[in-house]
Amino acid sequence: MIIGRCARCWKRPSRNTWSTTRRRPIQLSLSRRHGYSTSTATPIPPAPQSPSSLSALASLKDELDRSSPRFDLQASQIEILQSPTEFYETLKAKILNARTRIYLTTLYIGKTEHELISTIRQALLKNPNLKVSFLTDALRGTRESPEPSCASLLAGLVVEFGDDRVEVRMYHTPNLTGIRKKIIPKRINEGWGLQHMKLYGIDDEVIISGANLSSDYFTNRQDRYHIIASQEMTDYFANIHDAVSRFSYIVQPDQDDTTAYHLHWPESNGAPSPLDNPSVFIDRAGATLNPLIKPQATQSTPKTKHDTTIYPLAQLTPLLRPDTSTEYPALLTLLRHLSTPHFSHSKWTFTAGYFNIRPELQSLLLSSNCRHGVVVTASPWANGFYGSKGISGLLPAAYSLLSRRFLESVHRAGKAGQHIEMKEWRHGTVGEPGGWTYHAKGLWVTLPGDEHPCMTLVGSSNYTKRSYALDLEMNVLIVTEDEGLKKRLGEEQDLLQREARRVELDDFMTPERRVGIHVRIAMWIVGLVGAAL
């Protein structure tokens, strides 16, 4: 049993009193930043669309149909949000009007997110039929204990509304056990694996995002947010949420100490905890999850002609033996198609806030047969770890080194400039007034003859070794024929590049960008002990 402290914020005054201050929206500035090359690539006009590119797209979908569940719907059922503030206000509004269910699958909820908890509480009071389920990560959700934490914040809802209406689950990786768990500091133990999915379901809508539920993700950390209005898809992700929850700890308020909570492993979970018997835990969790991520025997058949297809792509590697995850294979399939002659005049944009993509993905991006490709990543001054204390403070420099190595590979492949360019996103400096961080990730593909993307990958994955070996991830691949949705995807793609500036190898040679030997040694040690960036 794992024990922590529980705050009863609405029962009596405490240092974590409810905040009534509304967050003010922060508007993205289009001003230029210093320290970047001002050269830009010549705009790439669309090439004529040919029957071969359409047949290639059909071939791609046929391959995906054999590996992943598929949902057909209308483009009008997808809404794309643009800013952290819009995400937060939309999430609160939907929660407040929820009728039957809310499930929030996230890495963590910020320990001071009293306004969000207040909104959930109001929804529960407003509708006696409403039930709420939380799934977070046990390591990240209890990191601050015995001080106030995500776990202590959520436990208060269980006290007030009972465990029949509010369930709080916390997943613990099977990769951090025994002596390793005892000696690894809390600040860095998440490097051994996390519950990293971000699925926010309210009634018959689900928000797919890479954003967690804390203040910076609601104000000044740029991410992506797609709302899908579909009961079928919301049910599907609810099944994923419930399945992982059944193999997670449950947060229980202490019966005797009103300031404590327990992480309890119920017998109903049907498996020993990952700390007691990780091998059996993995086998039984995998037996439950594996059928959910396979293609369905009967795919959804819309009553009217559909114009958009969505493929849920799961990466649940820590819980699957053998690994039957669908995200990484699907991404490899898509990138391989970009290397074929049929896609020779297409364009792509790839983004990841933490640039450390798998070597196989990097090779496929470099070998793509497209007219133009753009990689967008966070500048060191927009990295969420910028200015952090301890070893995590080395991460911006580590990611900068990895970006430089990728750009060197682009040059060696002879594709620098017109074919492939790298941009770094920056809006001010982290920790200073007006400074933002960049957390968006995804891929957009524009077919020959099209002005805007017809495909996008959105979700929680950072496309790293850690994403594909240690964390639980969930993404969706959206493929559309609708010109309106294509335009909206193009607007999203363009929005994320308004604050991005092209970088050249010379930019990495400046004194402020040079990476010391201590950073390289730290990166080597991280890999040596079985963790990942």
Side-chain angles (χ1 to χ4, degrees):
M1 181 176 290
I2 303 173
I3 302 177
R5 311 307 292 174
C6 171
R8 306 286 192 264
C9 297
W10 50 84
K11 292 294 186 181
R12 55 182 173 81
S14 71
R15 57 183 165 181
N16 282 337
T17 54
W18 283 40
S19 169
T20 57
T21 305
R22 294 182 62 86
R23 295 181 173 87
R24 292 181 297 173
I26 299 178
Q27 299 298 324
L28 285 174
S29 168
L30 303 187
S31 60
R32 296 288 189 248
R33 300 283 169 230
H34 298 291
Y36 292 86
S37 169
T38 56
S39 62
T40 57
T42 304
I44 307 297
Q49 191 173 53
S50 65
S52 61
S53 63
L54 295 177
S55 63
L57 183 59
S59 174
L60 171 63
K61 292 176 69 174
D62 285 342
E63 287 192 53
L64 294 171
D65 287 343
R66 293 193 291 270
S67 62
S68 168
R70 165 180 174 159
F71 294 87
D72 295 319
L73 62 161
Q74 303 300 321
S76 58
Q77 294 174 256
I78 299 173
E79 180 182 359
I80 302 174
L81 307 181
Q82 295 188 338
S83 71
T85 302
E86 187 180 13
F87 166 58
Y88 184 48
E89 295 302 326
T90 300
L91 180 66
K92 287 191 299 178
K94 291 186 181 299
I95 287 174
L96 198 57
N97 292 307
R99 302 181 308 276
T100 59
R101 64 174 173 182
I102 296 173
Y103 61 86
L104 302 177
T105 317
T106 190
L107 173 60
Y108 69 100
I109 296 176
K111 62 184 179 181
T112 59
E113 290 308 313
H114 303 299
E115 184 179 55
L116 177 62
I117 298 302
S118 175
T119 302
I120 295 170
R121 181 175 180 268
Q122 291 177 56
L124 286 162
L125 290 171
K126 180 180 177 181
N127 191 339
N129 296 319
L130 179 63
K131 294 186 177 182
V132 181
S133 178
F134 300 91
L135 173 61
T136 74
D137 183 75
L139 298 176
R140 186 63 181 83
T142 62
R143 190 170 71 185
E144 298 89 349
S145 296
E147 298 300 318
S149 65
C150 169
S152 65
L153 181 70
L154 298 179
L157 285 172
V158 181
V159 172
E160 183 170 7
F161 296 99
D163 57 12
D164 59 328
R165 295 191 65 198
V166 176
E167 179 184 62
V168 181
R169 294 279 188 155
M170 292 194 163
Y171 165 87
H172 192 293
T173 177
N175 294 322
L176 187 66
T177 61
I179 188 66
R180 180 186 287 174
K181 180 174 174 62
K182 293 179 181 179
I183 65 174
I184 300 298
K186 285 186 175 182
R187 178 63 182 166
I188 63 172
N189 62 10
E190 61 187 61
W192 278 259
L194 296 168
Q195 190 308 103
H196 200 248
M197 300 183 292
K198 287 73 185 272
L199 306 168
Y200 307 125
I202 299 101
D203 291 334
D204 294 334
E205 293 182 312
V206 60
I207 302 176
I208 308 295
S209 183
N212 294 305
L213 302 180
S214 65
S215 177
D216 48 352
Y217 291 94
F218 300 153
T219 54
N220 58 2
R221 175 168 283 199
Q222 184 64 51
D223 214 298
R224 299 177 67 197
Y225 332 87
H226 285 220
I227 305 175
I228 303 172
S230 163
Q231 180 181 341
E232 278 189 301
M233 291 215 67
T234 309
D235 288 346
Y236 175 81
F237 289 119
N239 290 335
I240 296 290
H241 171 102
D242 292 342
V244 177
S245 294
R246 290 199 296 273
F247 294 92
S248 301
Y249 286 94
I250 190 167
V251 176
Q252 291 183 336
D254 190 271
Q255 297 296 321
D256 300 317
D257 185 349
T258 57
T259 63
Y261 68 85
H262 303 282
L263 288 187
H264 173 66
W265 190 263
E267 291 185 7
S268 59
N269 277 3
S273 82
L275 301 182
D276 293 333
N277 194 329
S279 182
V280 175
F281 167 81
I282 292 170
D283 289 342
R284 296 186 183 176
T288 298
L289 287 163
N290 188 51
L292 294 177
I293 65 175
K294 289 183 175 180
Q296 305 301 304
T298 303
Q299 301 283 15
S300 60
T301 304
K303 297 179 180 178
T304 58
K305 185 180 184 299
H306 70 276
D307 53 34
T308 301
T309 299
I310 298 182
Y311 296 95
L313 301 175
Q315 196 69 35
L316 308 174
T317 302
L319 302 179
L320 298 172
R321 292 191 305 203
D323 187 5
T324 55
S325 297
T326 56
E327 185 218 320
Y328 188 58
L331 183 53
L332 289 176
T333 296
L334 173 55
L335 294 182
R336 288 188 185 114
H337 273 260
L338 294 184
S339 301
T340 64
H342 295 316
F343 284 86
S344 61
H345 293 289
S346 60
K347 296 181 289 184
W348 55 261
T349 298
F350 176 89
T351 189
Y354 305 129
F355 190 77
N356 184 24
I357 61 172
R358 288 287 299 268
E360 299 88 344
L361 301 181
Q362 175 175 302
S363 296
L364 287 170
L365 287 175
L366 291 175
S367 64
S368 65
N369 202 22
C370 300
R371 302 188 73 194
H372 190 226
V374 179
V375 172
V376 182
T377 189
S379 93
W381 297 275
N383 187 293
F385 294 99
Y386 180 81
S388 295
K389 297 179 180 179
I391 192 171
S392 59
L394 302 178
L395 289 174
Y399 289 120
S400 181
L401 175 61
L402 294 168
S403 295
R404 192 194 81 187
R405 289 175 178 173
F406 173 78
L407 196 53
E408 289 172 343
S409 297
V410 172
H411 279 263
R412 285 195 298 269
K415 294 193 174 183
Q418 185 78 354
H419 290 291
I420 298 177
E421 60 178 324
M422 172 170 271
K423 296 181 178 181
E424 287 187 341
W425 191 100
R426 184 180 181 185
H427 184 98
T429 299
V430 178
E432 297 181 2
W436 283 47
T437 54
Y438 185 75
H439 199 248
K441 43 261 190 180
L443 176 71
W444 296 259
V445 176
T446 303
L447 289 180
D450 281 353
E451 183 178 357
H452 303 295
C454 70
M455 282 185 281
T456 192
L457 184 65
V458 59
S460 64
S461 179
N462 287 306
Y463 314 110
T464 63
K465 174 185 176 182
R466 180 169 142 184
S467 297
Y468 295 128
L470 301 173
D471 292 348
L472 305 186
E473 308 281 8
M474 182 59 68
N475 304 269
V476 296
L477 178 64
I478 301 173
V479 184
T480 186
E481 301 172 5
D482 181 75
E483 294 300 325
L485 180 54
K486 289 180 184 180
K487 182 179 180 181
R488 288 188 281 136
L489 291 175
E491 290 170 349
E492 179 191 40
Q493 175 184 250
D494 293 343
L495 171 71
L496 294 176
Q497 294 191 52
R498 288 180 191 171
E499 296 289 326
R501 301 294 170 259
R502 180 172 165 177
V503 289
E504 306 289 357
L505 283 176
D506 288 346
D507 294 309
F508 292 95
M509 299 297 113
T510 60
E512 61 187 358
R513 297 299 296 271
R514 289 178 182 169
V515 178
I517 187 65
H518 62 298
V519 174
R520 300 169 192 264
I521 292 174
M523 293 170 67
W524 175 75
I525 293 175
V526 166
L528 187 66
V529 297
L533 297 179

